């Protein structure tokens, strides 16, 4: 009974896949024929219909091993040819290394893994950040400049080793710091950066129109350099960092280039040179909030 | 004892209030504390003003009480009060005070240098005269007078220099 039913089903089943496959065959054949026209010498692969008739959906007539035989897979074993690269690749990277170990009773060496398992697995790939709005990194901050500070203004430095000195403002750099020069000959202040907040802007201005400031004077030029070599030498950690600052030739030439232009304009204003040479100080009865700068 | 009186036509200087620093003429007295006041040439409208904020000046104009603004203006311009006022020491002191307050840092430096130079000159002359008087005992009286005249000369020169630069 089962056999008859199976036979009956088999027939019905046979038709369907046969039909399907014939349908599929046709376009395949068409394609194949078209291909033949275009490319002359390519082998046409005619795909055989399913060799495993369907008894019911998902159930085929033959078992796996029977299908192996029917499809002649014993014939179809493909391996890629072994190339030289594959041969070379057989040399796997070293997984372990033997290291010598000191001490009498420790045996001469140990076998150590080169790549070790991770010591810690974070449970989240990236820690979740709390929602924030408008928090920009420093490089994207808006740089502001006080209206009283324009190129050529005489500024009074309030902090740093040049405190109290009067100095000429050149331009604002990309990080917002002010590029400033003595000039060097007048008050020993070189081309230097100053912070806007620690500076008093006077109303005295030197006419700096037409003064060309070299373009390589940026923040990176002025930034302090620090040597960082990770070799641990315990005795000399503090010595490796530059103790003494040395004036490079480039700085000297840049200083000359800028100062020569500015000095010419300073000479035109009477008493300005002496003014820049002097330092600012408070004395009795002098109150900064009452002074007009 | 009192030289300046509140009278019709007295020019007064307003010391505080919205019209501080301006000159007005007293046109009429309202009561013990207030006066009717008018300053056509100094931008003060005709109004009542308490005596407390007025300081009397030396100038008196001639016009009848409650005269209208036109008359006050005529009298004012006839007497040339604005120029006379600018020439008084009072006005000059006010101006000097204002200039000092407006001094910038650079100006202060220039004044300091000028003062220094002036003091040097004075000292120099002083020393010269002292030397002379020490040499000859009979000259202490004469040495005083030339000092003062020299001081006055140098101070004028020095004052003119920084203020001209300002």
């Amino acid at each position: 009974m089962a056999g008859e039913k199976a036979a009956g089903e088999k027939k019905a089943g046979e038709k369907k896949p046969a039909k399907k496959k014939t349908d599929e065959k046709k376009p395949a054949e068409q394609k194949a024929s078209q291909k033949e026209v275009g490319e002359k010498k390519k082998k046409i692969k005619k795909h055989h219909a399913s060799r495993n008739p369907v008894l019911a959906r998902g159930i085929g007539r033959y078992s796996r091993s029977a299908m192996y035989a029917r499809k002649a897979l014993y014939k179809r074993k493909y391996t890629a040819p072994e190339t030289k690269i594959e041969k070379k690749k057989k040399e796997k990277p070293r997984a372990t290394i033997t290291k010598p170990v000191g001490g009498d009773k420790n045996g001469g060496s140990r076998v150590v893994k080169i790549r070790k398992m991770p010591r810690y697995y974070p449970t989240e790939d990236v820690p979740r950040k709390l929602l924030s709005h408008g928090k920009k990194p420093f490089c994207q901050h808006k740089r502001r400049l006080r209206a009283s500070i324009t190129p050529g203004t005489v500024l009074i430095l309030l902090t740093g080793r040049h405190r109290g000195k009067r100095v000429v403002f050149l331009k604002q750099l990309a990080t917002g710091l002010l590029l400033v020069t003595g000039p060097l000959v007048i008050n020993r202040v070189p081309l230097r950066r100053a912070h806007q907040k620690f500076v008093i802007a006077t109303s005295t201005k030197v006419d700096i129109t037409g003064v060309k400031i070299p373009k390589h004077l940026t923040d990176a030029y002025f930034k302090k350099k620090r040597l960082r070599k990770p070799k641990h030498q315990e005795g000399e950690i503090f010595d490796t960092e530059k103790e003494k600052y040395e004036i490079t030739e480039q700085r000297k030439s840049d200083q000359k280039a800028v100062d020569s232009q500015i000095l010419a304009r300073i000479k035109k204003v009477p008493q300005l040179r002496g003014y820049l040479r002097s330092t600012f100080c408070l004395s009795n009865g002098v109150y900064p909030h009452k002074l007009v700068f | 004892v009192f030289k300046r009186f509140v009278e019709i036509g007295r020019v007064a200087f307003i010391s505080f209030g919205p019209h501080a620093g301006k000159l007005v003429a007293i046109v009429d007295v309202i009561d013990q504390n207030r006066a009717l006041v008018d300053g056509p040439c100094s931008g003060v409208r005709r109004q009542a003003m308490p005596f407390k904020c007025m300081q009397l000046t030396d100038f008196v104009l001639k016009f009848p009480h409650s005269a209208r603004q036109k008359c006050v203006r005529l009298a004012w311009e006839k007497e040339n009060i604005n120029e006379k006022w600018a020439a008084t020491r009072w006005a000059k002191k006010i101006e000097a005070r204002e200039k000092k307050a407006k001094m910038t840092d650079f100006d202060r430096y220039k004044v300091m240098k000028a003062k220094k130079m002036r003091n040097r000159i004075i000292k120099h002359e002083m020393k010269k005269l002292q030397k002379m008087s020490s040499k000859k005992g009979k000259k202490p009286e004469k040495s005083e007078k030339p000092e003062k005249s020299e001081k006055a000369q140098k101070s004028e020169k020095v004052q003119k220099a920084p203020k001209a630069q300002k």
Side-chain angles (χ1 to χ4, degrees):
Chain A
M1 281 203 296
E4 284 174 13
K5 274 191 186 173
E9 284 174 16
K10 174 187 155 189
K11 281 184 188 174
E14 246 188 321
K15 282 182 189 175
K16 283 181 194 173
K19 272 189 185 175
K20 278 186 193 171
K21 280 295 169 180
T22 46
D23 289 336
E24 284 180 27
K25 240 194 188 177
K26 279 181 188 175
E29 276 189 43
Q30 283 174 3
K31 280 184 190 171
S33 59
Q34 281 174 1
K35 273 187 188 173
E36 242 193 317
V37 171
E39 306 159 20
K40 289 180 184 177
K41 283 194 178 178
K42 261 205 169 180
K43 268 193 176 178
I44 311 152
K45 285 189 181 173
K46 286 189 178 177
H47 295 280
H48 196 279
S50 163
R51 296 179 210 265
N52 193 357
V54 171
L55 300 173
R57 186 158 67 148
I59 304 171
R61 169 71 184 79
Y62 300 104
S63 68
R64 220 170 234 254
S65 44
M67 284 311 299
Y68 186 90
R70 287 168 69 90
K71 288 205 274 185
L73 290 177
Y74 53 85
K75 281 202 246 175
R76 303 195 222 170
K77 290 184 184 177
Y78 306 110
T79 52
E82 228 190 57
T83 55
K84 284 185 187 174
I85 303 166
E86 276 195 52
K87 278 190 183 171
K88 276 194 181 175
K89 239 194 171 182
K90 276 191 175 175
E91 294 176 21
K92 278 187 184 171
R94 294 232 52 171
T96 61
I97 197 170
T98 47
K99 286 200 162 174
V101 167
D104 275 350
K105 301 182 186 176
N106 288 333
S109 58
R110 294 270 183 279
V111 175
V112 173
K113 271 194 189 176
I114 291 177
R115 290 176 137 209
K116 295 179 205 156
M117 304 298 292
R119 183 171 54 117
Y120 165 71
Y121 289 100
T123 51
E124 287 181 354
D125 288 322
V126 179
R128 259 183 284 173
K129 291 192 178 171
L130 297 167
L131 284 173
S132 71
H133 160 79
K135 307 281 189 283
K136 290 187 184 170
F138 180 69
C139 54
Q140 288 176 29
H141 283 176
K142 261 194 187 176
R143 318 290 177 192
R144 296 198 174 91
L145 187 62
R146 275 186 270 165
S148 52
I149 302 179
T150 62
T153 315
V154 173
L155 306 173
I156 301 176
L157 301 176
L158 295 173
T159 55
R161 60 169 42 213
H162 297 289
R163 61 192 87 96
K165 290 200 183 170
R166 297 184 173 103
V167 128
V168 177
F169 168 69
L170 298 173
K171 66 186 270 211
Q172 188 181 34
L173 300 171
T175 49
L177 296 169
L178 313 176
L179 177 60
V180 131
T181 179
L184 190 64
V185 210
I186 295 182
N187 53 18
R188 290 302 287 169
V189 178
L191 279 168
R192 206 172 201 265
R193 296 187 292 176
H195 191 107
Q196 210 189 135
K197 280 264 168 187
F198 303 110
V199 135
I200 295 181
T202 63
S203 50
T204 323
K205 306 217 190 255
V206 184
D207 186 18
I208 273 201
T209 53
V211 163
K212 287 178 192 173
I213 302 164
K215 289 207 170 173
H216 57 264
L217 299 175
T218 61
D219 285 294
Y221 177 88
F222 289 106
K223 196 163 170 63
K224 284 189 189 156
K225 279 103 194 170
R226 292 209 176 150
L227 300 169
R228 288 263 165 192
K229 289 205 169 175
K231 291 181 185 173
H232 288 286
Q233 293 174 12
E234 284 184 12
E236 298 180 4
I237 293 176
F238 299 107
D239 287 353
T240 49
E241 299 189 22
K242 267 191 216 169
E243 275 186 17
K244 254 227 150 185
Y245 164 72
E246 277 139 14
I247 310 168
T248 60
E249 285 304 315
Q250 201 201 14
R251 288 239 183 182
K252 288 188 195 173
S253 63
D254 288 330
Q255 186 75 47
K256 257 194 192 177
V258 176
D259 278 2
S260 53
Q261 300 175 55
I262 296 179
L263 277 171
R265 288 158 219 250
I266 289 176
K267 279 192 180 173
K268 289 185 191 170
V269 183
Q271 297 193 306
L272 187 60
R273 193 167 185 274
Y275 176 57
L276 291 174
R277 289 188 75 205
S278 65
T279 50
F280 174 76
C281 57
L282 296 171
S283 61
N284 265 351
V286 178
Y287 305 110
H289 68 288
K290 290 211 158 176
L291 288 180
V292 169
F293 282 102
Chain B
V1 180
F2 289 106
K3 292 178 194 167
R4 300 171 185 163
F5 300 97
V6 169
E7 48 194 320
I8 312 284
R10 172 68 64 179
V11 173
F13 173 80
I14 304 176
S15 52
F16 60 85
H19 297 286
K22 296 182 189 164
L23 291 178
V24 272
I26 296 176
V27 173
D28 208 348
V29 170
I30 300 172
D31 62 11
Q32 201 203 6
N33 302 319
R34 292 178 302 155
L36 177 61
V37 121
D38 198 356
C41 303
S42 52
V44 182
R45 285 204 186 162
R46 180 174 264 238
Q47 62 195 261
M49 194 173 279
F51 286 118
K52 278 194 178 172
C53 69
M54 287 190 266
Q55 291 174 355
L56 305 177
T57 65
D58 287 331
F59 308 119
V60 187
L61 301 171
K62 266 221 138 183
F63 51 76
H65 76 120
S66 316
R68 59 199 243 266
Q69 187 170 55
K70 189 175 171 186
C71 299
V72 177
R73 187 195 291 275
L74 280 175
W76 193 293
E77 280 166 4
K78 190 175 172 196
E79 293 286 321
N80 236 340
I81 298 291
N82 284 339
E83 285 179 21
K84 284 189 187 170
W85 169 250
T88 59
R89 284 188 174 257
W90 187 347
K92 285 185 192 165
K93 274 191 259 169
I94 294 172
E95 201 203 327
R97 221 182 297 143
E98 280 175 18
K99 273 197 181 166
K100 195 175 180 190
K102 277 191 204 168
M103 263 204 292
T104 72
D105 198 42
F106 191 22
D107 292 333
R108 258 173 265 131
Y109 168 79
K110 288 190 242 178
V111 167
M112 180 263 284
K113 283 286 173 185
K115 270 193 190 171
K116 216 174 169 185
M117 206 171 19
R118 172 207 202 216
N119 289 335
R120 274 222 183 116
I121 296 168
I122 294 171
K123 251 193 219 169
H124 183 65
E125 293 298 317
M126 265 285 282
K127 295 267 159 134
K128 262 207 270 181
L129 295 167
Q130 277 176 356
K131 260 195 185 174
M132 275 174 34
S133 65
S134 67
K135 275 185 188 174
K136 299 176 183 181
K138 284 186 184 177
K139 289 207 176 177
E141 295 168 20
K142 282 191 184 176
S143 63
E144 285 177 22
K145 285 182 191 175
E147 273 174 44
K148 282 183 188 173
S149 62
E150 279 167 31
K151 263 192 203 173
Q153 282 171 21
K154 268 118 203 176
S155 64
E156 280 175 26
K157 278 186 204 171
V158 163
Q159 264 180 23
K160 281 180 188 175
K163 288 192 181 171
Q165 278 170 14
K166 280 182 210 169

